[in-house]
Amino acid sequence: MELRAGVSKQGIREQIWDYMEAQNIAEFPWPVHRRIPNFKDAYLACQNIKDLEFFAKTQEVKVDPDKPLEGVRLLALQSKKTLLVPTPRLRTGLFNRITPPPGATKDILRKCATSQGVRDYSVPVDLDARVLVDLVVVGSVAVSEKGWRIGKGEGFADLEYAMMASMGAVSQGTPVVTIVHDCQVIDIPEALLEDHDLTVDYILTPTRVIATGCERPKPTGIIWSKISCSMMGRIPILRSLRSREKQAGRDVTLKDEQPHLEARSQHSAPPGTVRRPGGPAQPEAGSPNGEDVPSDTVYVGNLPQDTRVSELKKALRERGAAPLRLTWQGPQHRAFLHFLDPASAQEALSRLQGLHLGANTLKVELAGQQRASDPAGGHARDPHPDH
């Protein structure tokens, strides 16, 4: 499949999702957008993992809970391997161990491999438990034959791997496999790769087994400077890992705590700015200094009167564009969405185009671009950061 010129990660995702739906390749669950897409013959693609020589020797296998990987989870259980599955959105820890009941039949094992089985037959793995993962299997939206991977845009597979590396559960020699449809194997521009992105060593499709020979180093641990305080609040295990690394003398400064941002907030805020508690100074909407609004911030305007912040949050989640932090300015009919980095903000911008609340089509732009056309007008009062 040929990519459009000047494509972004989100553009690639949208193109893959659209193509798989248009060509009737995608399978349940629906909608395929904003998911690791399931596809016809996914189970056949999973069977190809048996052709990898190291699979028979593995003992502990980490497999993501995505639907197209169900066949690998089943093979792991049938082969009596220890099957580890990440906890949903990492809310309660890193891994669950799937533990079938004694004497489980083939039907029970099949159920254990499903998303429902993952919930019903899983046991949490304590952070202090000794885990040594022999094989990592991840889902992908797109992947290149060079081993470069694009997920659904939430970064959990990358973070999970970084956490495993931090715990010593994986090494650079631990093979990483992804399972996709043939149409998901495309050329990905190297310029889109970031230092936290996970690469893959093998790609399994219904028709091919691709050894990528990828030499790009995988993450060796958590890049704390890309982790926000908001993310720390949502993922408790990060707090435990950070405490351990801090005790070990490592630099665990978070994105929100970067010294240059603190200095800017305290000493060099330009006229017409407001400060958010715990964050850098932000220019007022509509101020002549609006060009200093960071490009990791998205402006949402034309909110209907009496809109509640919970209604906006729900709409953002449904579009897969939930921010790290939201600054609410309901009386001015607007809000500001703060993301991890400019790339994340740009992806959210793409996802939110055409968003409606009530009868209003919301105006969505990178913050600073709205100065001349903000229908609310005037200057922003002290923003209300809604965590």
Side-chain angles (χ1 to χ4, degrees):
M1 187 175 68
E2 294 294 327
L3 293 178
R4 292 184 286 267
V7 73
S8 64
K9 281 186 178 179
Q10 185 59 23
I12 291 174
R13 293 184 187 107
E14 297 289 346
Q15 196 169 340
I16 292 288
W17 288 326
D18 290 347
Y19 181 87
M20 293 182 75
E21 284 198 337
Q23 299 298 317
N24 199 29
I25 295 169
E27 291 272 72
F28 174 85
W30 311 101
V32 67
H33 288 71
R34 296 184 289 280
R35 296 182 190 272
I36 298 297
N38 192 21
F39 55 91
K40 292 180 178 178
D41 291 329
Y43 187 81
L44 179 63
C46 289
Q47 299 305 302
N48 287 333
I49 201 166
K50 294 184 292 187
D51 293 336
L52 301 178
E53 184 178 349
F54 55 79
F55 180 73
K57 303 174 184 177
T58 59
Q59 296 180 340
E60 294 198 21
V61 182
K62 179 261 187 185
V63 185
D64 285 351
D66 308 301
K67 179 67 173 176
L69 309 184
E70 192 173 293
V72 173
R73 294 194 294 273
L74 178 58
L75 281 171
L77 293 173
Q78 290 174 333
S79 304
K80 301 188 183 306
K81 301 180 188 298
T82 298
L83 174 59
L84 303 173
V85 178
T87 62
R89 309 189 76 81
L90 301 176
R91 290 192 188 99
T92 58
L94 178 54
F95 294 128
N96 282 340
R97 180 182 292 110
I98 310 306
T99 308
T105 63
K106 291 182 179 180
D107 287 342
I108 292 294
L109 289 180
R110 289 192 186 94
K111 183 177 180 181
C112 289
T114 67
S115 58
Q116 182 63 48
V118 167
R119 290 190 290 270
D120 292 346
Y121 297 97
S122 63
V123 177
V125 177
D126 189 84
L127 188 58
D128 292 321
R130 178 62 178 164
V131 174
L132 187 59
V133 175
D134 302 311
L135 170 64
V136 175
V137 183
V138 297
S140 301
V141 174
V143 67
S144 78
E145 292 192 19
K146 295 180 179 180
W148 302 339
R149 171 189 173 274
I150 294 177
K152 63 185 176 183
E154 295 183 343
F156 282 107
D158 302 319
L159 181 57
E160 289 157 8
Y161 185 92
M163 293 166 71
M164 288 191 293
S166 177
M167 296 164 55
V170 294
S171 68
Q172 289 293 316
T174 305
V176 178
V177 175
T178 194
I179 295 169
V180 295
H181 190 271
D182 291 275
C183 74
Q184 294 173 262
V185 182
I186 61 172
D187 290 328
I188 297 175
E190 186 173 7
L192 295 181
L193 297 187
E194 300 177 69
D195 53 3
H196 65 271
D197 285 335
L198 177 63
T199 56
V200 303
D201 303 298
Y202 294 90
I203 304 167
L204 308 183
T205 79
T207 66
R208 304 169 68 192
V209 174
I210 303 169
T212 67
C214 184
E215 297 181 357
R216 185 183 178 93
K218 295 180 176 65
T220 56
I222 300 168
I223 304 175
W224 293 105
S225 60
K226 293 194 174 185
I227 304 294
S228 69
C229 291
S230 174
M231 186 180 296
M232 292 285 291
R234 295 195 307 271
I235 305 177
I237 191 175
L238 278 177
R239 297 198 293 270
S240 299
L241 289 172
R242 186 184 185 221
S243 176
R244 295 182 182 204
E245 295 202 8
K246 187 175 183 179
Q247 290 177 2
R250 299 188 180 96
D251 182 3
V252 294
T253 305
L254 302 181
K255 180 188 176 187
D256 315 62
E257 301 171 339
Q258 294 300 300
H260 71 279
L261 293 179
E262 292 295 326
R264 176 181 172 188
S265 174
Q266 296 173 13
H267 304 300
S268 60
T273 62
V274 292
R275 285 186 175 88
R276 293 192 302 274
Q282 298 294 327
E284 292 182 355
S287 77
N289 297 290
E291 64 272 12
D292 291 329
V293 174
S295 58
D296 58 4
T297 302
V298 173
Y299 163 86
V300 179
N302 198 32
L303 292 169
Q305 189 174 6
D306 300 326
T307 297
R308 296 181 178 181
V309 67
S310 59
E311 295 172 330
L312 177 59
K313 283 184 173 181
K314 180 181 178 183
L316 297 176
R317 287 195 300 269
E318 289 175 349
R319 288 289 186 106
L324 297 178
R325 187 171 65 256
L326 186 152
T327 297
W328 179 250
Q329 294 180 354
Q332 288 82 36
H333 310 292
R334 63 191 172 206
F336 292 88
L337 314 179
H338 309 283
F339 292 89
L340 180 64
D341 49 37
S344 300
Q346 192 65 49
E347 290 189 10
L349 185 67
S350 173
R351 295 185 181 198
L352 295 176
Q353 294 304 311
L355 179 62
H356 289 76
L357 274 183
N360 290 18
T361 300
L362 303 190
K363 185 173 184 178
V364 184
E365 300 175 337
L366 288 178
Q369 294 180 353
Q370 84 289 353
R371 296 191 306 278
S373 57
D374 184 354
H379 295 297
R381 298 179 181 178
D382 288 344
H384 174 185
D386 181 80
H387 301 283

